[in-house]
Amino acid sequence: MTSSELWTRMTADRYDAEETEMSSAAVLGPTLAFLADLAGDGRALEFAIGTGRVGVPLRERGVPVAGIELSEHMAAVLRRKADADTLPVAIGDMATTVVPGEFSLVYLVYNTISNLLTQDEQVECFRNAARHLAPGGRFVIELGVPPLRFLPPGQVAVPFDVSERHLGFDTFDLVEQILVSHHFTRDGTDGRYRRENSRHRYAWPAELDLMARIAGLELERRVADWDGTPFTQDASKHISVWRKPA
């Protein structure tokens, strides 16, 4: 078991309803096109597949998809959308769990590698991806760039969402590279807010490139979004693709 925090049944049951924007055609269209192109005629493996936000529609595009998921509750929600023959899911952590066969694509979306709270575990995640890849296969990660440029001296928190229904901000431990995302979400009509938080280990793109090198992978491409926007110093996230040498 890694240090990843385990999603509860309550959180899993409401996850899809709270992520409707991330499940929209505007968001998923470029994501699925990017991943399907890399998968080609091969199989794809999603680390931390969750409720199948990406894996299920990618399978519907004709890409054979398997998944690894730490939370049985999240996997149970996925099972309402696709059975085990259509989309097999292994319950376990993405740094050590091994599933049968080789894949042309392994991918991690929506900042999920940051759920691993130590550098060693993140390195093992890269090694596990390389273990599953066929020669010439790709490992793809979607991850935010740490927003430390927004931290003036003495400030420890950065807001990332201020809306009618949700308030979100991150606090930082700059020594351990840990950020805590704080969420205040308004439920129902009584005006009360539900408070939740989650811990993440942030990493810079260059650090991920070194992890990839340790795992025997080579950087092939880095863009700022799934639509291929060039990655610059002002990008808030990156989509990185590493290749296993043939």
Side-chain angles (χ1 to χ4, degrees):
M1 182 71 71
T2 64
S3 60
S4 295
E5 297 173 348
L6 197 60
W7 293 73
T8 65
R9 182 188 301 275
M10 183 178 298
T11 302
D13 285 343
R14 64 173 178 248
Y15 182 83
D16 286 348
E18 294 184 348
E19 295 294 342
T20 54
E21 181 180 352
M22 293 301 297
S23 300
S24 67
V27 172
L28 276 183
T31 305
L32 298 175
F34 192 105
L35 294 174
D37 180 64
L38 289 179
D41 296 329
R43 303 167 67 210
L45 174 62
E46 181 171 355
F47 284 178
I49 194 170
T51 65
R53 179 183 67 89
V54 174
V56 170
L58 186 61
R59 179 66 185 87
E60 291 171 349
R61 281 197 171 208
V63 178
V65 177
I68 295 174
E69 173 54 44
L70 184 61
S71 169
E72 292 186 22
H73 302 302
M74 295 289 276
V77 176
L78 183 152
R79 278 287 157 260
R80 302 170 193 167
K81 309 170 186 177
D83 61 32
D85 290 333
T86 302
L87 204 165
V89 176
I91 302 299
D93 69 79
M94 57 187 163
T96 63
T97 302
V98 177
V99 301
E102 285 188 326
F103 297 84
S104 62
L105 173 67
V106 178
Y107 65 94
L108 255 176
V109 298
Y110 207 14
N111 304 318
T112 315
I113 194 171
S114 69
N115 291 357
L116 299 170
L117 300 180
T118 70
Q119 186 182 69
D120 285 344
E121 289 174 351
Q122 291 179 351
V123 169
E124 288 306 312
C125 182
F126 272 83
R127 284 177 166 156
N128 200 28
R131 184 180 298 124
H132 285 90
L133 285 173
R138 275 90 168 197
F139 182 35
V140 177
I141 285 180
E142 175 188 25
L143 184 63
V145 176
L148 301 189
R149 294 171 66 186
F150 295 103
L151 281 176
Q155 181 172 315
V156 297
V158 172
F160 60 84
D161 185 31
V162 179
S163 61
E164 185 68 20
R165 186 171 173 270
H166 177 257
L167 302 174
F169 61 92
D170 293 329
T171 55
F172 295 85
D173 179 337
L174 301 182
V175 175
E176 299 296 331
Q177 288 184 216
I178 296 292
L179 71 83
V180 180
S181 287
H182 304 263
H183 300 266
F184 295 83
T185 306
R186 178 148 51 186
D187 284 328
T189 59
D190 60 5
R192 294 185 179 183
Y193 281 82
R194 181 180 74 250
R195 179 177 181 176
E196 297 173 305
N197 60 69
S198 59
R199 294 189 302 154
H200 308 267
R201 182 184 187 272
Y202 64 83
W204 300 96
E207 184 180 3
L208 298 182
D209 289 342
L210 185 55
M211 294 181 190
R213 187 181 304 177
I214 291 171
L217 305 176
E218 303 170 346
L219 180 66
E220 181 176 78
R221 185 183 182 195
R222 174 167 291 130
V223 292
D225 212 338
W226 296 104
D227 61 6
T229 301
F231 181 75
T232 69
Q233 65 178 2
D234 296 319
S236 62
K237 73 173 185 179
H238 61 99
I239 314 298
S240 295
V241 182
W242 298 274
R243 184 174 181 272
K244 184 174 182 176

